[in-house]
Amino acid sequence: MERRQIIVVGGGLAGTATALGLASAGFDTLLLAPPAPDDRRTSAILGRSLAFLAELGVVDALGDRQAPLAVMRIVDDLGRLFRAPTVEFRAAEIGLSAFGINALNADLAEALGRCAATLGRLEIRSAAARGLTLSPDRAIVTLDDGAAIGADLVVAADGRRSPMREAAGIGSRQWRYPQTALVTNIAHSRDHASVSTEFHTRTGPFTQVPLPGRASSLVWVEDPKLADLYVDLRPEKLSETIAEKMHWILGEVTIDGPLARYPLGGSRVDRFTAERFALVGEAAHAFPPIGAQGLNLGLRDAEALIRLVSESRDDPGSRLALRRYEAARRGDVLSRTAGVDLLNRSLLVDFLPGQVARSSVLAAMGLVGPLRQFAMREGLVPGAGLVGLPRSVRKWMGGHEAAGDPVEQQGHGHD
């Protein structure tokens, strides 16, 4: 039987990044990546996730096919009695040139592939995994052609409906929201100036995120019945509707590509590991496209797994390494899941005390600098709100020393 140290199942962005990182760390790695459909969506990569990709060479491989995110603006467009003030989060306020980047998923996949092609310890096969057997001494993956491959560790990154997760006996809880996400890319007549704007509307967030040039990606959360109507609009009318919903801040708008729609929902697993088995990305947690959390969490999964199995190099699938991975990821995933869920649901309710509380929080963010800076650091790197951003993050995000950074004042980092 063929044998490898680690098998990664799933050739999406999180799976490929995990395999690339494991091979870069010196592990003999096999990536099972069946051909994926074309993906016109985009991903905003922030904080530690960006530093992780940069260290693998992916950001350099992207070249100019990325746009920096220097300012993130929240606009209350609910039309309710208590209207929160507009809040702007500026990366410069915490000593960074940008919070991260936004890029087409297709360009990210191509950059990951270019980096992977240079690694001798990484083999990529287009075969699909059809079966999984786990035991204390090894894991066995069966391919669609009937071949079986043994490994010290199997990493499943095969999506929110993960067949490998099911084969490992790990349960998950799925839920749906009464919303649909409309996703497209747009060109516009005015420069976005590296500013991302999130309009909070009665049906959910309506978010514009910069792309290179005078272009942006759009995630528009809408009532499902209205979403069906918008999909059928003529391109000229749809462009005008989008410009109006953005209050013409970017001028005239032109649709650049199809308008895709996705039912909004999420999922959470009972556990992240089994015997010689670990979950990363959407196989472990699925989010609605709100707050740029989905892929960033998947990349943080990858970074943590690589770091911890590297500390157990003789046996990367050991119970100790996997217990440590479980402990390292559970808090981050649970807190981000709860945060995204609370934000989304807060926009859907007309309960007056809830409106007041939400408006008060945003007002405090806008008025109180230390609170706003705490939120920005915590959003980029979990746990950095009070102790400051790690040097690795500042290095890859154009960072410079910010006044009052307790990490630098103490003369050490927490990478």
Side-chain angles (χ1 to χ4, degrees), residues 11 17 20 32 71 99 167 173 179 210 224 289:
L20 176 59
L32 299 177
V71 180
F99 293 113
R173 185 173 74 86
Q179 298 157 291

Side-chain angles (χ1 to χ4, degrees), residues 190-266:
R190 295 178 186 167
D191 197 324
H192 51 55
S194 301
V195 179
S196 174
T197 303
E198 181 172 282
F199 297 90
H200 286 180
T201 78
R202 286 176 177 266
T203 58
F206 180 99
T207 308
Q208 162 266 329
V209 189
L211 284 171
R214 289 188 173 182
S216 296
S217 59
L218 183 70
V219 178
W220 174 2
V221 178
E222 189 54 270
D223 177 270
K225 293 181 180 178
L226 288 175
D228 291 341
L229 296 176
Y230 286 127
V231 167
D232 292 331
L233 284 180
R234 290 180 293 106
E236 299 80 8
K237 181 60 178 176
L238 181 60
S239 297
E240 182 180 351
T241 300
I242 290 172
E244 288 176 350
K245 290 185 75 68
M246 290 197 297
H247 300 278
W248 300 93
I249 62 172
L250 296 177
E252 300 286 342
V253 166
T254 304
I255 301 295
D256 181 18
L259 182 66
R261 53 184 163 180
Y262 303 91
L264 238 61

Side-chain angles (χ1 to χ4, degrees), residues 6-30:
I6 301 177
I7 299 173
V8 179
V9 180
L13 298 178
T16 305
T18 302
L20 176 59
L22 288 165
S24 296
F27 292 102
D28 177 26
T29 306
L30 171 64

Side-chain angles (χ1 to χ4, degrees), residues 314-359:
D314 291 341
D315 187 3
S318 70
R319 290 182 178 177
L320 176 60
L322 294 178
R323 279 200 300 267
R324 295 179 67 193
Y325 172 65
E326 176 95 28
R329 297 305 301 140
R330 182 162 293 279
D332 185 18
V333 171
L334 288 176
S335 65
R336 304 295 159 146
T337 301
V340 169
D341 184 73
L342 179 62
L343 168 62
N344 189 40
R345 294 185 189 278
S346 74
L347 302 178
L348 301 177
V349 298
D350 289 318
F351 186 51
L352 185 59
Q355 295 178 33
V356 174
R358 179 184 163 279
S359 298

